[in-house]
Amino acid sequence: MSGQFSFGSLLRRPEAGAFIGLVAVLAFFVVFGGLSFLKTAGVASWLNVAANLGIVAIPIGLLMISGELDISIGAMVPAGSMTVAILSGYFGLPIAVGILAALGFGVLVGLLNGFIVVRTAVPSLIVTLGSLFAVQGLVLGLSVMLTNTTSIPLTSPAWAKAMFGTFIANQFQVIILWWLALTAVYVFVIHFKPVGNWIFAMGGDKVSARNAGIPTERLTIILFVLSATSASFVGVCQAILFNSAQVSSGMSFIFNAIISVVVGGVLLTGGFGSIIGIFFGTITFAIVNQGIYFTDFDRNWSSLIIGVMLLLAVLMNNTFRKMALSYSPKKK
Amino acid sequence: MLKRILAKSMATTAMIAVSASIGFAADIAVVGGKNDDAFWNIIKKGIDDARLVVEANGGSVNYLRLQTYDNFAPDVVQLIQTAISQGVDGLVIPNWVPEAEDPAIKLAIEAGITVILMNAGGADKATELGAINYVGSDEYAAGVAGGEYFAKNGQTKILCVNTVPGAANLEARCKGVIDGITTAGGKGEQLPLPATSFGDPTAVAEAIKATLLKDGTIDGLITISAGDADSAAIGVMQASKIESVKLGSFDLNGAGLERIKGGTQLFAIDQQPYLQSLLAVTLLASAIDFGTDLPTRPVLTGPGIVDASNIDAVLAGVSAGAR
């Protein structure tokens, strides 16, 4: 690096495509939805969705970079919210106990996923498909057995509300701060520490990575623990914010997280991507998903518009990645 | 061949019936959903309460429940055949899968069993099969009641939030709400949410907030499920419209009941499953034992409106397992 600012080198960074996709969809909805989309309520509308999704999307992105996938998050989000609602809402235990139990359950499921993936040769998609259904069934069964219902109200003390489930300025969910802080930590660890390179190396070629001395098995397990626990954390925040938890929610997180990650420039085959890219990808997805409500389009067309916009964002991203990867500086 | 089997089974039927009870009072079988399905546990409460009446007259009630929903249609048919082979006098059966169940139900009626359809089916189906009545709810009628309730309360423009657009029963709910408010002179429209929002309460809440901010004339909001009402309550709050937009929901949950009690939700529409089994079993027993004939067809058990006026009784019902 020359150290001096160059627009060209900025464009060739892995997240550049994701950023340009983001700007494009934002422009689209400002044109069709008006400037209210950029005012406080509008910004909160997509930031809130992005934050909830983003906390899950980053560890999913890391797993995908390392060549794995975790779809059990679809069950872990409701598992987190039901754990805290059953323990602290139904049984009246202190909220801290409920939160810790929910996160602990996330760690446990993550460890199980990780160990099974590492010890057996079964693809992680299949392993986590199994744990997706198993956790869903466990949560439903336990909920009905313990509380005789599948929807549990939760009243949280003020400090828990303030930390996990309140609105800043009556618009922005406090989870946005968690998302920003976690993103910063991920950026630091992944892009400025050796661990980051190890994860990319695993996605590139796992056998060579292990031969080079990278603790691939331990890293894989850690990544699964991260994704399951993050999903559980989002579930906890939801339960505290919405004062309620349901057995049947969270499946949309699977697809939405994967879409965000891919829109953010991570290759489905692994080995390529960046945290900032995933960050932009998540915001892009949230804008596309929520922007529709600021436009005059008939709501029956929502899914069509979401699909087309996401495809365009990925295509744009791909074009930029190709340009970045095939770039060679001019000889002077 | 079939006749011989039938005759044989009827003979055994009669024998079992005689040995099963001392008198000739009605022995009734009720087919229902899984043990861990909350709805069917409320149904069980209705059956248990109806059983007191039936047993007082010398009859009996047997609740046959599905073990799983994995092999649904064959399992339901199997339960109908179990009831036939047990030689019951009356059968209460939800008509979930008509194409699979109808032949078995007809067989039961041919075997001399009096049948009432409950929960799923409708009056026309009951007539077609030869069942004496249908006891249950009607999604469209429930929606109309919701729309009318809004109108009575002074709302003029209602938004029906549908998180699963395309599902026939949920579309019927929203259509009912819109027709109900339109007939009363107001306006209504449906907000279909894309599948990417389903199960993400934040996405649902934000969609509702944005819609309320975009259309300031909306003063009433109803969700197709109780869980979605939790999201809607936050969406309304974020739009700063708690005063001006009234919230309603289909179905009940704990958080919704608390909101109704606390005044942040106007009402909830309940299909009242307790009444479905209570009425179906007692109607059937009375028809078999005493030849009564209820001219009301179908017997609608819903919609029941839960609002501030009856919330305390409903909460008592919840803790008794009847709501």
Side-chain angles (χ1 to χ4, degrees):
Chain A
M1 273 242 183
S2 59
Q4 79 198 118
F5 179 81
S6 143
F7 190 68
S9 71
L10 203 65
L11 268 183
R12 284 185 295 277
R13 291 194 55 76
E15 50 270 9
F19 182 72
I20 289 164
L22 169 87
V23 173
V25 296
L26 198 59
F28 176 86
F29 283 112
V30 169
V31 168
F32 286 96
L35 280 175
S36 67
F37 195 55
L38 295 178
K39 290 180 187 152
T40 316
V43 173
S45 185
W46 41 269
L47 270 190
N48 288 340
V49 174
N52 279 277
L53 186 57
I55 289 178
V56 183
I58 294 179
I60 291 299
L62 290 177
L63 275 167
M64 284 167 67
I65 289 172
S66 79
E68 307 288 351
L69 194 56
D70 181 4
I71 60 170
S72 69
I73 49 166
M76 285 315 297
V77 174
S81 50
M82 286 301 285
T83 306
V84 68
I86 289 176
L87 291 180
S88 305
Y90 186 81
F91 289 113
L93 295 172
I95 191 95
V97 175
I99 294 171
L100 287 177
L103 296 182
F105 185 61
V107 172
L108 190 73
V109 173
L111 282 175
L112 265 175
N113 281 338
F115 270 115
I116 296 174
V117 167
V118 165
R119 291 274 175 264
T120 68
V122 181
S124 52
L125 173 73
I126 305 301
V127 170
T128 56
L129 184 72
S131 51
L132 170 77
F133 287 123
V135 170
Q136 262 182 342
L138 188 70
V139 171
L140 173 66
L142 281 179
S143 169
V144 171
M145 198 172 85
L146 295 172
T147 70
N148 211 15
T149 166
T150 55
S151 172
I152 300 168
L154 171 70
T155 315
S156 318
W159 70 265
K161 273 260 171 206
M163 274 186 75
F164 303 108
T166 190
F167 287 101
I168 300 164
N170 199 28
Q171 286 294 341
F172 298 94
Q173 289 183 16
V174 71
I175 198 172
I176 294 174
L177 298 181
W178 284 95
W179 175 47
L180 294 177
L182 286 169
T183 304
V185 172
Y186 280 119
V187 167
F188 178 72
V189 174
I190 302 301
H191 295 308
F192 295 95
K193 290 275 176 191
V195 171
N197 280 337
W198 295 352
I199 290 173
F200 282 96
M202 282 163 64
D205 183 345
K206 194 154 279 179
V207 178
S208 310
R210 190 166 53 226
N211 290 344
I214 296 173
T216 54
E217 300 198 340
R218 207 174 66 214
L219 266 180
T220 305
I221 293 172
I222 289 175
L223 287 179
F224 276 107
V225 169
L226 268 181
S227 66
T229 313
S230 303
S232 188
F233 176 75
V234 169
V236 167
C237 293
Q238 281 184 352
I240 293 174
L241 179 74
F242 291 93
N243 307 314
S244 168
Q246 274 87 35
V247 168
S248 61
S249 58
M251 291 298 269
S252 62
F253 273 86
I254 303 172
F255 261 123
N256 296 357
I258 295 175
I259 295 167
S260 303
V261 167
V262 173
V263 170
V266 174
L267 280 182
L268 273 173
T269 46
F272 189 91
S274 79
I275 301 292
I276 300 289
I278 298 170
F279 181 80
F280 288 143
T282 312
I283 299 181
T284 307
F285 177 81
I287 290 176
V288 171
N289 206 30
Q290 299 301 313
I292 202 95
Y293 305 109
F294 291 84
T295 67
D296 290 321
F297 299 134
D298 188 317
R299 300 298 180 252
N300 289 324
W301 299 107
S302 301
S303 289
L304 175 69
I305 294 170
I306 290 173
V308 172
M309 295 293 291
L310 289 175
L311 202 55
L312 286 179
V314 172
L315 287 178
M316 194 176 299
N317 203 340
N318 256 22
T319 314
F320 269 88
R321 183 171 54 231
K322 272 192 203 125
M323 280 162 59
L325 290 179
S326 60
Y327 173 80
S328 58
K330 285 196 188 96
K331 295 222 169 75
K332 287 207 174 124
Chain B
M1 181 68 187
L2 187 69
K3 267 190 187 154
R4 252 172 59 200
I5 295 174
L6 265 179
K8 220 169 149 189
S9 72
M10 273 167 75
T12 31
T13 297
M15 257 157 60
I16 295 170
V18 169
S19 57
S21 63
I22 306 149
F24 288 95
D27 293 312
I28 290 169
V30 186
V31 173
K34 270 164 61 174
N35 284 322
D36 60 359
D37 188 333
F39 183 92
W40 292 95
N41 287 326
I42 301 173
I43 291 277
K44 180 174 183 297
K45 167 76 176 158
I47 293 173
D48 290 343
D49 288 359
R51 177 180 286 122
L52 300 175
V53 176
V54 177
E55 285 182 350
N57 286 310
S60 70
V61 183
N62 190 7
Y63 190 16
L64 307 170
R65 304 186 74 163
L66 288 163
Q67 296 305 311
T68 70
Y69 294 151
D70 301 336
N71 190 29
F72 195 73
D75 283 358
V76 177
V77 171
Q78 184 57 47
L79 285 181
I80 297 173
Q81 277 155 358
T82 304
I84 297 174
S85 66
Q86 281 177 347
V88 296
D89 307 302
L91 174 65
V92 178
I93 174 89
N95 196 235
W96 288 305
V97 205
E99 48 286 9
E101 288 182 52
D102 287 1
I105 293 173
K106 281 184 185 147
L107 215 61
I109 291 170
E110 277 171 31
I113 297 173
T114 311
V115 172
I116 276 190
L117 298 186
M118 175 185 79
N119 177 258
D124 292 342
K125 196 70 189 178
T127 310
E128 180 200 323
L129 292 173
I132 62 169
N133 213 330
Y134 167 72
V135 184
S137 68
D138 181 300
E139 303 284 16
Y140 178 76
V144 171
E148 286 169 350
Y149 186 88
F150 272 124
K152 204 180 74 193
N153 197 61
Q155 273 75 48
T156 54
K157 174 135 191 213
I158 309 304
L159 187 71
C160 184
V161 181
N162 189 350
T163 44
V164 194
N169 57 333
L170 303 178
E171 294 279 352
R173 287 180 167 188
C174 275
K175 186 171 188 311
V177 170
I178 293 166
D179 289 357
I181 186 77
T182 310
T183 314
K187 273 191 283 187
E189 63 182 43
Q190 188 181 166
L191 174 66
L193 295 187
T196 45
S197 301
F198 180 75
D200 182 355
T202 297
V204 175
E206 294 299 340
I208 289 169
K209 179 192 85 178
T211 307
L212 294 182
L213 289 177
K214 188 155 177 62
D215 185 349
T217 63
I218 296 171
D219 55 6
L221 184 70
I222 188 162
T223 59
I224 48 95
S225 81
D228 290 330
D230 298 337
S231 312
I234 294 289
V236 172
M237 188 207 82
Q238 269 197 286
S240 307
K241 297 208 168 182
I242 295 181
E243 297 299 322
S244 56
V245 177
K246 297 297 174 198
L247 177 62
S249 81
F250 285 93
D251 302 339
L252 303 177
N253 71 0
L257 293 171
E258 279 177 20
R259 279 194 300 274
I260 293 174
K261 188 149 175 72
T264 53
Q265 181 169 334
L266 189 60
F267 70 101
I269 301 171
D270 186 17
Q271 61 168 301
Q272 308 186 122
Y274 172 75
L275 284 181
Q276 293 183 5
S277 52
L278 182 78
L279 294 179
V281 171
T282 47
L283 274 179
L284 188 56
S286 155
I288 294 168
D289 290 345
F290 313 128
T292 56
D293 183 17
L294 191 72
T296 308
R297 266 173 85 92
V299 179
L300 288 183
T301 59
I305 301 274
V306 178
D307 61 9
S309 67
N310 61 357
I311 183 70
D312 289 322
V314 173
L315 286 171
V318 170
S319 54
R323 297 301 294 255

